[in-house]
Amino acid sequence: MSVIHYFPRYSQAENFVTNNTILLLLRLREFDRLKFEKLMEELCAEVDEEAALSGSWLHFRQQVKTGKSVVDGFIAQDSIKIAIETKLGGTFDLKQIENHLAVFANEQHKFLILLNPTQGELPQERLESIRQLAATRAAQILPLTFQDIIEKARGRYGQYEEVLALIEDYEAFCSEMSLLPRDQVTLFVPPCGQSYEDNIQFRLYYCSATWSRRRAKYIGIYKDRKISAIGRIAKIVVCDIDMVTNKTVKNSESITPEETERILGAAVNARKRNWDLTVGNKFYLLDALEATEFRKSSPRGIMGHRYLDLEEILNRRPPDDLAELAAILREYTWE
């Protein structure tokens, strides 16, 4: 079974991750150049208010003096160059940064993005040294995480379904590469609806193998504006199902007889609703499932899946004990 992604997988090299990030930015710019400019402005402002650009790079002017005359109308596009240095671990080398800065010439806007999973890996003293080097080339340093790019891109382009699919696949790629540390405190909340009882009974969730999803630590079984059970994701299996022999085939991961039985049970029940799970699905298998009542406070249900940052909601690290976490969540709500 072949799953098609916007962004290639199966490599952890830094240049491979960088290439996918460049590909995302390129496609965002091609879709809407003005929105891309605003996205870059937001990323600048996120790390340094003084680095934020003033106005758009595409200038519309009337009555512009040239020194010898006054033109009635004027449109100009500023030049821009963006360089990216990625570190999946460790800090950034000053000599390497100095060499990278040689890529810049006479562009109006010069950005060197320092990209890594968490800003904690870039000490303030090292960042200041890098900024001093960049100043010699009139370049701006943007220390960003993969999560920064994802959140800002979704905020700027999220209303466009075709671009949202692109951003979500990049997010899933980053998650698969363990580039999103927040995954360890993230609760994945898909709407379960008709499969709700099966999700509870068989301790799993299933969806199309082509859907791009983050590898969150937890999953919430959601229906009727509340999460009624929370589980910890043990593994995600992409497989086909042979309903005649009662076996799973073409498994992406090894699974136990007990896990196979749960997948088969879900497939049998789904068939009663005229759902075919035999080809092209992935199954989120949970090592445990605890009842809770984690309610959505805002009106109306969710239109699609959601990701909830449990550390942000609880204002502390979620407890390791799943039963304790389920009990605590009864005291909270989410938007």
Side-chain angles (χ1 to χ4, degrees):
M1 176 167 28
S2 177
V3 179
I4 298 175
H5 294 288
Y6 291 100
F7 300 96
R9 265 64 169 177
Y10 314 121
S11 174
Q12 295 188 25
E14 288 176 349
N15 61 349
F16 182 82
V17 173
T18 303
N19 286 343
N20 276 354
T21 302
I22 291 172
L23 181 58
L24 171 70
L25 296 177
L26 175 62
R27 289 182 172 178
L28 293 179
R29 183 177 183 274
E30 288 176 344
F31 181 80
D32 191 315
R33 183 173 296 181
L34 292 178
K35 286 188 179 296
F36 179 77
E37 293 173 4
K38 292 298 182 183
L39 170 64
M40 289 304 301
E41 291 177 17
E42 288 181 20
L43 290 173
C44 288
E46 182 73 13
V47 296
D48 187 348
E49 288 290 346
E50 294 182 1
L53 302 178
S54 58
S56 172
W57 300 331
L58 184 62
H59 303 286
F60 294 84
R61 299 287 187 272
Q62 290 180 315
Q63 299 293 308
V64 176
K65 295 181 180 180
T66 67
K68 295 183 178 180
S69 64
V70 178
V71 296
D72 293 326
F74 175 80
I75 300 175
Q77 173 72 54
D78 287 355
S79 63
I80 175 178
K81 184 174 286 185
I82 300 172
I84 300 176
E85 170 63 10
T86 302
K87 289 293 182 188
L88 304 185
T91 190
F92 294 87
D93 181 75
L94 289 178
K95 185 61 178 177
Q96 188 179 39
I97 294 296
E98 185 177 10
N99 293 336
H100 288 341
L101 290 169
V103 74
F104 297 114
N106 299 317
E107 302 83 13
Q108 283 101 331
H109 304 292
K110 310 171 190 179
F111 302 101
L112 176 58
I113 295 177
L114 304 182
L115 187 61
N116 59 3
T118 171
Q119 288 300 326
E121 297 178 10
L122 182 57
Q124 189 64 31
E125 183 177 339
R126 176 59 58 91
L127 177 58
E128 289 305 318
S129 298
I130 292 174
R131 281 180 170 154
Q132 289 176 17
L133 279 175
T136 64
R137 290 276 182 170
Q140 297 175 1
I141 297 297
L142 303 182
L144 298 172
T145 66
F146 298 94
Q147 187 67 49
D148 290 333
I149 293 176
I150 292 164
E151 289 179 356
K152 295 300 181 183
R154 181 179 281 116
R156 181 58 58 181
Y157 292 87
Q159 68 271 40
Y160 305 102
E161 289 187 9
E162 62 272 41
V163 185
L164 184 58
L166 177 75
I167 296 169
E168 288 186 345
D169 192 51
Y170 176 77
E171 181 178 42
F173 160 75
C174 290
S175 183
E176 291 168 20
M177 296 296 179
S178 301
L179 303 176
L180 305 177
R182 303 305 297 176
D183 281 352
Q184 292 305 302
V185 293
T186 295
L187 175 65
F188 170 42
V189 185
C192 294
Q194 297 181 54
S195 67
Y196 174 82
E197 298 295 340
D198 295 343
N199 301 137
I200 297 290
Q201 179 182 353
F202 299 111
R203 299 199 326 274
L204 54 71
Y205 167 75
Y206 52 82
C207 65
S208 170
T210 62
W211 291 1
S212 297
R213 299 291 183 263
R214 287 178 64 159
R215 297 204 169 200
K217 184 174 182 177
Y218 305 99
I219 195 167
I221 308 301
Y222 170 90
K223 183 181 180 182
D224 297 333
R225 294 181 52 232
K226 69 177 178 180
I227 296 167
S228 300
I230 182 172
R232 194 165 32 230
I233 300 172
K235 64 180 67 170
I236 302 173
V237 178
V238 179
C239 66
D240 292 346
I241 300 172
D242 188 332
M243 301 295 285
V244 176
T245 61
N246 286 331
K247 292 182 179 180
T248 60
V249 294
K250 299 181 181 178
N251 296 344
S252 63
E253 292 192 30
S254 61
I255 56 177
T256 66
E258 187 269 345
E259 291 169 338
T260 300
E261 185 177 345
R262 285 157 53 196
I263 291 175
L264 290 172
V268 169
N269 284 5
R271 177 165 285 186
K272 297 174 185 177
R273 298 187 295 273
N274 295 319
W275 293 359
D276 183 5
L277 302 186
T278 57
V279 178
N281 292 282
K282 56 185 172 184
F283 297 83
Y284 294 72
L285 299 173
L286 312 178
D287 61 2
L289 193 64
E290 295 288 343
T292 188
E293 192 167 302
F294 190 21
R295 290 188 172 275
K296 183 175 182 291
S297 60
S298 52
R300 297 182 296 276
I302 58 177
M303 297 299 294
H305 67 280
R306 297 278 296 276
Y307 298 111
L308 303 181
D309 189 315
L310 293 179
E311 186 172 65
E312 193 174 271
I313 291 172
L314 302 177
N315 201 28
R316 66 182 178 93
R317 196 79 177 177
D320 291 330
D321 185 81
L322 190 64
E324 181 184 353
L325 175 58
I328 291 173
L329 290 178
R330 291 176 179 272
E331 304 173 10
Y332 289 81
T333 61
W334 53 283
E335 292 292 329

